[in-house]
Amino acid sequence: MDIINILPDSVANQIAAGEVVDRPAGAVKELLENSMDAEATQIDLVVKDAGRTLIQVIDNGKGMSDSDARLCFERHATSKIHRADDLFAIHTMGFRGEALASIAAIAQVELRTRQHDSELGTQVLIEGSHIVSQQPTVCPAGTSLSVKNLFFNVPARRNFLKKDSVEFSHIEEVFRRVTLIHHDLGFTLSSNGKTVYDLKPGTLLQRIAGLYGNAYKERMFAVEEQTDLVSIRGFVSRPEYSRRTRSEQYIFVNGRYIKHPALSAAVERAYGDLLPDHSYPSYFIGLTVDPSKIDINIHPTKTEVKFVDEHALFAILRSVVKRSLGQFSLATELSFDTPEEFNLPPAPKGYTPPMPHLKYDPDYNPFKAGSSQMRMKMERPEEPANLERMESPEPLDCLDKPIPPASNTCLQVQGRYIVTTLSSGLALIDQQRAHERIIYDRLMTQGDSLPPVSQTLLFPVNCSFSAADAELLGELMPDLKAYGFEMTPVGQTTFVVTATPASLKEADLQALLEQLLTDYKGSTMQKFSHRSESLSRSLARQMAVRAGTHLSQEEMQQLVADLFACPMAEVSPSGKKIITIVKPEELLK
Ligand code: ADP
Ligand code: MG
């Protein structure tokens, strides 16, 4: 008895579809790539219900003839490969002639296409691999392909889809990857009737700004290098705009998005200790290498790539990024990571340390215009305090007397530690962590009982987000109101901020809110505590005075007094040590 069957094409296509189109985003990727292969300059993506009900891609590319419009749905129908050799020289995007056949096997597809020199276009309806109709039609030059009811005949796959917000974020990710590399083309994305992105052709930096908001223009350093092996072009984020996740890291090789852990490590390595713990840079880097020097796995959904000369590439990339950080950044000297312990080097034998002297301005008036304020923003690292030049004695013989800390003179060391005396010894206080604790405690009690202290902005600020972030921000709005933020959504992804917490001075609101959302997403993922705790922790971290910020005597004293008024003065909201006490007996040694 013979038991071998040849599968009908429709079944074979369905199986192939499982590889190419595992979710709506997979179809989006194939359609966008086809439009770019067809030399379109404007590509519009329309989705409904995260692509479940509709994915439509409209382009102004070269279009298809009547018979190509039918043929393109056949398996192994492609205009891009003629011989097996072509596989190795391929420069276009898709290359197996499988995408449309696969999509047509698992959806109801409508194709309308017209070549520029034809007067009439053609419309093809195809459903589950069967052509339902083809007829002439009046349509713009180019191609419009609508994929309706994806997986209508594959319930197992349909049921496997995640909720709309998840599927849509996959689509957005595909859209970002494609539009970042093809910044010279125009793209739009609309979802459920609303425009999410409207991207005009432009430079890479303009494209980054179009996707992530204009604030990104100020956050990026350019990287550029041309060597025999590789040419590198792109942007990396300034260290102070690092993020809590690796979500904004893009490397493209020869116009293709790839994942390459070693290259990503090369970029991160270049930042060295400029990044705070658990922070990651954003980067958008395009590499161009001789195609014979790489092996891109030819599976269309794979994003891996092997380089012949990986070590050299790693080294070049790292030093190029490092150079650009060093060239543009004033902050390279400043180390951001705060050590867990304060390590004081032991004094040489027989050495009596000179009495520390402190400098302060007796005429200081905190309410006088122009007097230094605590700054939210990172500043240039100050020169380390010059102990010799300062005067005004405050001998350290008072160690045993309980002294309210606020009245004690403070000394700032390395722009990051405050040294002051307590009855129990010498206290070394991490200024940033201390401030974080103070703000956190205030925010938490404010949310509970007191009404928020808000300041109305002189000039309202527009902040724009990705669709997913905008939705989350909408959800968190009542919580943020409790802190003193006032904001109104305008359109789908933009918010106008009209007021902020009073204690928030000169901040980049766009960056602050983005970080807040990133932190919030991170903390909900780790099932951290309460919403308000997570938000307060993020806000406190962002509002706190940074290491490297010069503090006046009054500011230090206020900070110390405020810190000691906190019930948990010893640890920061994220659990890091704030104070180290050097006991009198240790001082004697
Ligand atoms: P591949 O892209 O690998 O060739 P596809 O199934 O994605 O396979 O597409 C099959 C063929 O259909 C392409 O080779 C191309 O000739 C034609 N085609 C698909 N989309 C478009 C489009 N938007 N504009 C013009 N031609 C297209
Ligand atoms: Mg294709």
Side-chain angles (χ1 to χ4, degrees):
M1 188 181 73
D2 301 333
I3 53 168
I4 295 179
N5 281 324
I6 302 288
L7 290 175
D9 269 0
S10 57
V11 177
N13 286 341
Q14 266 196 28
I15 295 170
E19 280 182 59
V20 183
V21 182
D22 54 343
R23 60 186 349 145
V28 168
K29 173 172 181 281
E30 294 295 336
L31 298 183
L32 292 177
E33 290 185 342
N34 278 349
S35 294
M36 292 182 297
D37 287 345
E39 290 160 20
T41 56
Q42 176 66 40
I43 301 172
D44 301 309
L45 167 63
V46 178
V47 299
K48 284 209 179 97
D49 305 318
R52 246 178 260 269
T53 2
L54 176 72
I55 298 166
Q56 183 179 17
V57 171
I58 305 159
D59 69 47
N60 62 354
K62 56 189 175 201
M64 281 178 262
S65 70
D66 288 6
S67 68
D68 279 359
R70 264 192 327 277
L71 258 182
C72 69
F73 294 108
E74 296 286 329
R75 196 128 181 248
H76 306 306
T78 175
S79 53
K80 300 163 197 172
I81 300 177
H82 300 283
R83 300 169 299 140
D85 277 359
D86 291 349
L87 270 178
F88 299 97
I90 203 79
H91 292 291
T92 53
M93 297 296 165
F95 36 70
R96 301 207 311 186
E98 260 183 355
L100 291 186
S102 300
I103 291 169
I106 50 168
Q108 297 153 343
V109 174
E110 180 191 353
L111 166 66
R112 293 160 69 83
T113 185
R114 175 164 79 82
Q115 292 181 312
H116 288 250
D117 53 3
S118 312
E119 263 165 37
L120 273 188
T122 184
Q123 181 209 44
V124 176
L125 296 179
I126 180 165
E127 188 173 315
S129 294
H130 299 292
I131 295 201
V132 178
S133 72
Q134 178 170 24
Q135 59 194 50
T137 187
V138 176
C139 63
T143 301
S144 154
L145 204 134
S146 307
V147 178
K148 293 172 195 163
N149 303 318
L150 194 66
F151 304 126
F152 80 104
N153 53 356
V154 202
R157 279 240 169 246
R158 198 173 58 231
N159 297 336
F160 190 69
L161 292 179
K162 302 269 165 42
K163 59 178 193 233
D164 278 10
S165 59
V166 176
E167 293 301 336
F168 186 72
S169 65
H170 284 286
I171 292 177
E172 259 196 306
E173 180 60 20
V174 164
F175 184 79
R176 278 192 289 263
R177 289 178 190 175
V178 165
T179 56
L180 277 168
I181 191 73
H182 298 280
H183 51 80
D184 51 333
L185 308 179
F187 291 90
T188 64
L189 165 57
S190 71
S191 163
N192 297 332
K194 288 182 193 144
T195 304
V196 183
Y197 295 105
D198 182 357
L199 307 173
K200 308 282 179 242
T203 62
L204 174 59
L205 191 58
Q206 285 166 334
R207 180 55 45 93
I208 293 170
L211 285 168
Y212 296 97
N214 266 326
Y216 272 64
K217 282 192 183 160
E218 270 77 59
R219 292 190 201 174
M220 295 284 151
F221 291 142
V223 286
E224 202 151 4
E225 182 61 74
Q226 183 100 38
T227 70
D228 291 346
L229 183 66
V230 62
S231 103
I232 300 174
R233 203 177 68 91
F235 289 90
V236 299
S237 63
R238 305 160 66 112
E240 63 267 38
Y241 291 111
S242 61
R243 304 180 64 87
R244 305 292 268 182
T245 67
R246 290 198 166 89
S247 57
E248 289 174 5
Q249 304 190 336
Y250 294 87
I251 294 184
F252 301 91
V253 173
N254 295 357
R256 228 167 212 283
Y257 171 83
I258 56 133
K259 283 200 188 101
H260 198 287
L263 289 189
S264 307
V267 180
E268 282 185 18
R269 208 68 73 70
Y271 282 75
D273 56 7
L274 286 177
L275 292 175
D277 288 352
H278 309 296
S279 308
Y280 308 98
S282 306
Y283 52 82
F284 310 89
I285 299 177
L287 308 178
T288 313
V289 289
D290 179 344
S292 68
K293 295 265 169 63
I294 52 173
D295 173 16
I296 291 195
N297 188 317
I298 60 165
H299 189 288
T301 60
K302 285 268 168 67
T303 48
E304 271 120 58
V305 61
K306 281 204 184 72
F307 296 93
V308 175
D309 226 340
E310 194 163 306
H311 285 292
L313 198 59
F314 181 97
I316 294 172
L317 186 58
R318 196 184 70 165
S319 65
V320 169
V321 173
K322 202 165 178 173
R323 187 184 63 201
S324 115
L325 292 174
Q327 217 166 25
F328 295 106
S329 170
L330 299 168
T332 32
E333 300 299 297
L334 179 67
S335 154
F336 282 74
D337 63 334
T338 8
E340 286 310 306
E341 296 290 340
F342 301 99
N343 290 317
L344 294 181
K349 267 210 173 97
Y351 168 79
T352 339
M355 196 66 78
H357 291 290
L358 294 162
K359 176 178 74 173
Y360 78 104
D361 171 9
D363 297 320
Y364 173 82
N365 174 355
F367 302 105
K368 203 172 64 189
S371 61
S372 68
Q373 289 178 345
M374 287 204 193
R375 305 251 158 72
M376 295 306 139
K377 289 217 181 115
M378 246 274 315
E379 299 185 336
R380 279 187 82 149
E382 298 288 328
E383 291 276 298
N386 185 341
L387 295 178
E388 265 123 309
R389 255 198 10 236
M390 300 174 182
E391 326 183 343
S392 163
E394 185 67 51
L396 296 176
D397 61 358
C398 46
L399 282 179
D400 291 316
K401 286 180 253 159
I403 302 155
S407 67
N408 263 8
T409 318
C410 300
L411 174 70
Q412 191 181 28
V413 178
Q414 289 184 337
R416 68 200 297 178
Y417 308 124
I418 298 170
V419 182
T420 189
T421 53
L422 295 180
S423 53
S424 50
L426 194 65
L428 305 172
I429 298 170
D430 181 308
Q431 67 183 46
Q432 180 171 351
R433 291 177 187 174
H435 201 205
E436 250 176 83
R437 163 54 69 192
I438 296 162
I439 299 172
Y440 177 83
D441 281 22
R442 264 186 213 148
L443 291 174
M444 288 301 283
T445 48
Q446 177 178 288
D448 286 351
S449 47
L450 306 167
V453 194
S454 193
Q455 59 184 351
T456 305
L457 296 178
L458 205 50
F459 303 105
V461 177
N462 274 359
C463 298
S464 304
F465 304 90
S466 71
D469 276 2
E471 197 180 320
L472 178 61
L473 189 61
E475 258 174 54
L476 295 177
M477 249 168 50
D479 303 81
L480 295 177
K481 211 174 148 91
Y483 293 122
F485 283 102
E486 289 291 345
M487 55 180 94
T488 329
V490 288
Q492 251 223 320
T493 54
T494 302
F495 290 76
V496 185
V497 184
T498 49
T500 63
S503 48
L504 182 63
K505 308 254 156 56
E506 34 165 328
D508 176 348
L509 282 176
Q510 170 87 36
L512 182 130
L513 291 171
E514 272 169 27
Q515 190 61 53
L516 195 77
L517 292 173
T518 312
D519 289 347
Y520 182 73
K521 283 184 272 186
S523 68
T524 49
M525 239 142 44
Q526 293 158 23
K527 315 196 285 246
F528 249 140
S529 52
H530 247 219
R531 193 177 255 211
S532 61
E533 281 173 26
S534 147
L535 291 173
S536 302
R537 195 180 303 121
S538 171
L539 270 181
R541 205 165 53 80
Q542 298 193 65
M543 289 162 69
V545 59
R546 295 284 159 89
T549 309
H550 172 77
L551 299 179
S552 71
Q553 187 58 230
E554 280 76 7
E555 286 167 339
M556 287 192 278
Q557 292 186 352
Q558 191 63 53
L559 192 82
V560 172
D562 289 348
L563 176 67
F564 283 97
C566 294
M568 283 176 68
E570 307 79 28
V571 284
S572 77
S574 38
K576 292 190 174 147
K577 191 170 179 178
I578 298 174
I579 311 171
T580 298
I581 307 272
V582 184
K583 300 215 181 73
E585 51 273 27
E586 290 171 311
L587 280 177
L588 281 174
K589 279 189 229 153

